[in-house]
Amino acid sequence: MEKRSSRLHNSIINIGTTGIVYVFTMAMAMLVRSFLNRVLGQTYVGLNGVLTSVITSFSIADLGVDSVFVFLMYKPLAQRDSQEITNLMALFKRVYVIIGTIFLTVGIVAIPFLEYLIGKQAMGIPHIRLIYFLFLLNTGLSYFFAAFRIILNADQKFYVIARITFLVTMAINVLQIIFLLILKSFIMYALLLVISTVLINVIVGIVANQRYRLSERRLNRRAGKVKLNFKNKDTFGILIRNTIGGLSNKLGGIVVYGSDNILLANFETLKVVGMYSNYILITQGISSLLSKVISSITASVGNLGAEDDKERNYSVYIKLTFIINLLTFLVLVPLLICFSVFIKLWVGKQNVLPTLPVILISINCILQLIRFPALTFIDAFGLQWKQKWKSVVEALVNIVVSLFLLWFFKLGLVGVLLGTLCSNLLVVNWYEPYVVLKEVGQKRYKEYISQVTPFILLFIIGILFSNYILESGWLGFSVIKTVFLVIVVEVIQLLLVVILFRKNSSMVYLIRVLQTYLNKKRSN
């Protein structure tokens, strides 16, 4: 009982801190994007999106090993085995140095082919190769410090990283705005990104060294040529198998979400990429917030897995699925209705996309959000190897459909979005839950389907309702009408949830947890 209480306590701290920090960080990022748009124009906003996608594509070098490393660290931390922790940290550091070197090498080798990656229009921007190199350096340097994040994540101390990231990012964002206004320089904007990355990682490294009494000299010596002996003889086997699975998963994610801007840069203009990037910044903000919140409890799920209680594993998975679906449902209609109004207020009416792309962007965001319960269990239970072919198929479906619609039907942005939609529906959103249920959920497929079907119907109703409102033109760009409609819709949605799920065990559990936490806060 004490373990479960501690696990819940750590999860709540991680969720609360991560959520609050990310909301403020996201708001500041949008403010910086607004200044970037107003000072340098939509072309540079598009360039920012394209370069981010290109660099993300190169980051396949990390092979998805971060979740594998966190998985390997659970048991030594639970047993407080300092020797094994030191050996694992040395291994992580050794691997990440190799990864960082490969990443930077691949990125530099790609410079002569930059035109084919970012499009001819982007190549006309002054100092484009220097800007590209700064973006490359921003991601590449983070690998050389990544090992210290692993131990904090595995020990359910994600909130430590969140706080450090928040403070440094806020300071750097203010400097970016100042330099944009004074110098009007995108190079300085990119250079400050590099400085931010270095500062965050150095501070995280110092905190991790102090908290876990890690000797930097000892780690460096062990990360060199010293042979590492692990108590778990299958450590390298787990690392290799799950790294291959992680590579597959990483490849699929890169092709599906990283290729959109690259395809648009070659088939459309940087202005279209910039307009699309504004919408994606919002959906990625929502997705990343939920991802960071869920990541902060992954260690708790991994700790749960060590108990080898399959009935409890299934119960937790169902509860987590219910909570994520509930949050997604409450976000869906407000997201669709508010999108265009918010874009107009934020970066101007000229950056508002038509209704169909907005609907498709929102649907893809929703499909990404409801994946998180399965992804959490896949990471926490080390199931990457079990789904090694899934992302290869996902990537192929996405790229083939997108190119077909772009090349033959000239659908532009709509074609790219339909490619992502097809890969999600046909491959991802059914297969990941299948893997989890098969491996740790007692293969209770019918029961799981009965749990999620009501939410699928609610999602469809929400999308159809939102499409009707948007197509009717009743809202226009009126803030008052939008706010009024969102409030009414949220009240109706909450009533629907209460009526439909009042006897659902997951709803009862959620209410009980919230009541317990609030009672503890009052007593303190």
Side-chain angles (χ1 to χ4, degrees):
M1 187 69 184
E2 185 178 346
K3 280 186 180 179
R4 292 178 182 175
S5 176
S6 175
R7 191 158 54 225
L8 177 62
H9 176 73
N10 285 329
S11 295
I12 290 173
I13 292 177
N14 282 328
I15 290 171
T17 304
T18 302
I20 293 170
V21 163
Y22 194 79
V23 166
F24 280 102
T25 303
M26 186 64 193
M28 200 65 185
M30 295 179 72
L31 182 62
V32 173
R33 174 69 68 94
S34 178
F35 275 95
L36 180 62
N37 181 60
R38 285 179 168 84
V39 175
L40 297 179
Q42 196 64 29
T43 298
Y44 277 92
V45 175
L47 176 65
N48 184 77
V50 172
L51 287 176
T52 301
S53 295
V54 170
I55 300 303
T56 300
S57 300
F58 294 151
S59 69
I60 191 173
D62 72 9
L63 306 179
V65 296
D66 48 352
S67 59
V68 183
F69 285 165
V70 171
F71 174 72
L72 289 171
M73 188 65 84
Y74 288 148
K75 189 173 181 180
L77 280 171
Q79 297 175 343
R80 301 186 182 277
D81 189 338
S82 59
Q83 179 71 25
E84 192 76 352
I85 289 171
T86 302
N87 282 338
L88 284 171
M89 285 294 291
L91 173 64
F92 300 164
K93 193 163 186 178
R94 183 185 297 178
V95 172
Y96 274 121
V97 167
I98 296 172
I99 287 171
T101 304
I102 293 172
F103 174 85
L104 290 172
T105 302
V106 171
I108 292 170
V109 169
I111 291 177
F113 310 99
L114 199 55
E115 179 181 338
Y116 302 103
L117 295 172
I118 65 176
K120 291 182 180 179
Q121 186 182 358
M123 291 302 296
I125 293 175
H127 311 294
I128 183 61
R129 287 180 176 81
L130 175 58
I131 293 170
Y132 163 80
F133 181 74
L134 288 173
F135 271 75
L136 180 71
L137 203 61
N138 178 52
T139 300
L141 289 177
S142 64
Y143 288 119
F144 293 91
F145 303 92
F148 297 109
R149 292 173 173 268
I150 300 298
I151 191 169
L152 287 166
N153 281 337
D155 199 28
Q156 298 178 257
K157 299 296 185 294
F158 188 82
Y159 62 88
V160 174
I161 300 173
R163 290 170 181 171
I164 294 169
T165 302
F166 171 71
L167 294 173
V168 174
T169 302
M170 285 292 126
I172 293 296
N173 284 161
V174 170
L175 289 176
Q176 283 179 319
I177 292 171
I178 292 172
F179 279 107
L180 279 172
L181 291 172
I182 296 174
L183 300 178
K184 297 180 172 58
S185 170
F186 192 75
I187 291 176
M188 183 56 69
Y189 168 88
L191 181 60
L192 286 168
L193 288 177
V194 178
I195 294 171
S196 172
T197 297
V198 172
L199 281 175
I200 290 170
N201 284 286
V202 167
I203 296 171
V204 168
I206 292 170
V207 171
N209 279 325
Q210 292 177 344
R211 184 181 288 268
Y212 301 99
R213 298 178 182 176
L214 301 171
S215 168
E216 187 73 20
R217 182 181 299 176
R218 189 180 178 192
L219 279 180
N220 287 334
R221 180 171 59 82
R222 292 196 172 212
K225 296 182 179 180
V226 176
K227 183 178 180 180
L228 300 173
N229 294 312
F230 297 99
K231 293 180 179 178
N232 182 0
K233 301 302 180 184
D234 196 32
T235 293
F236 285 105
I238 293 171
L239 177 62
I240 293 169
R241 289 194 300 273
N242 283 344
T243 294
I244 293 173
L247 168 61
S248 169
N249 203 37
K250 186 80 172 178
L251 178 62
I254 286 171
V255 173
V256 172
Y257 295 101
S259 66
D260 287 359
N261 283 334
I262 298 174
L263 288 171
L264 288 173
N266 285 277
F267 284 89
E268 290 280 357
T269 65
L270 277 180
K271 183 179 179 181
V272 173
V273 177
M275 294 169 68
Y276 175 56
S277 296
N278 290 330
Y279 283 82
I280 292 303
L281 180 66
I282 298 171
T283 58
Q284 284 183 344
I286 297 170
S287 179
S288 295
L289 172 59
L290 190 57
S291 175
K292 290 179 183 297
V293 168
I294 295 298
S295 294
S296 66
I297 66 171
T298 301
S300 298
V301 177
N303 183 251
L304 172 70
E307 297 175 7
D308 196 27
D309 185 342
K310 289 189 176 182
E311 180 64 34
R312 182 159 175 78
N313 292 343
Y314 175 78
S315 175
V316 171
Y317 178 61
I318 289 297
K319 289 180 175 65
L320 185 58
T321 299
F322 176 86
I323 293 169
I324 297 304
N325 284 339
L326 175 60
L327 292 174
T328 302
F329 173 61
L330 294 176
V331 164
L332 173 60
V333 177
L335 173 67
L336 283 160
I337 291 173
C338 293
F339 236 152
S340 295
V341 175
F342 182 80
I343 291 291
K344 184 206 174 228
L345 292 173
W346 176 32
V347 288
K349 186 177 179 180
Q350 69 277 11
N351 292 299
V352 175
L353 289 170
T355 300
L356 180 57
V358 173
I359 295 288
L360 292 174
I361 290 169
S362 301
I363 292 174
N364 282 329
C365 176
I366 297 310
L367 293 176
Q368 180 68 10
L369 295 180
I370 62 177
R371 292 176 62 189
F372 284 125
L375 291 175
T376 300
F377 271 71
I378 286 168
D379 283 346
F381 284 78
L383 301 178
Q384 289 88 350
W385 174 253
K386 302 293 183 180
Q387 54 153 15
K388 54 186 177 297
W389 297 112
K390 180 266 299 181
S391 292
V392 176
V393 178
E394 171 193 7
L396 287 173
V397 170
N398 177 265
I399 203 73
V400 169
V401 173
S402 295
L403 283 174
F404 181 76
L405 295 175
L406 283 168
W407 190 275
F408 291 101
F409 292 93
K410 312 296 182 186
L411 288 181
L413 177 57
V414 171
V416 170
L417 293 171
L418 286 173
T420 303
L421 180 64
C422 287
S423 64
N424 279 325
L425 291 177
L426 297 178
V427 183
V428 175
N429 286 100
W430 69 269
Y431 188 74
E432 287 168 344
Y434 169 78
V435 169
V436 173
L437 291 170
K438 180 182 178 182
E439 299 299 328
V440 299
Q442 299 182 318
K443 300 183 179 180
R444 290 156 73 170
Y445 305 118
K446 290 183 180 179
E447 187 175 336
Y448 171 78
I449 291 171
S450 68
Q451 293 282 339
V452 300
T453 298
F455 278 109
I456 293 173
L457 296 175
L458 289 174
F459 291 150
I460 293 172
I461 292 170
I463 292 167
L464 292 175
F465 171 77
S466 301
N467 183 64
Y468 172 76
I469 293 295
L470 293 173
E471 287 294 324
S472 70
W474 178 75
L475 280 179
F477 291 104
S478 170
V479 176
I480 295 175
K481 285 184 179 179
T482 303
V483 171
F484 172 76
L485 184 59
V486 167
I487 292 172
V488 171
V489 167
E490 284 295 285
V491 171
I492 294 172
Q493 286 181 309
L494 287 170
L495 288 173
L496 272 175
V497 168
V498 171
I499 294 169
L500 290 174
F501 302 108
R502 64 187 184 280
K503 295 182 180 180
N504 185 287
S505 59
S506 297
M507 174 65 92
V508 173
Y509 170 79
L510 178 60
I511 293 172
R512 188 170 65 246
V513 168
L514 290 173
Q515 287 176 338
T516 302
Y517 182 70
L518 291 173
N519 289 335
K520 284 184 178 180
K521 293 293 287 184
R522 290 194 195 99
S523 63
N524 292 336

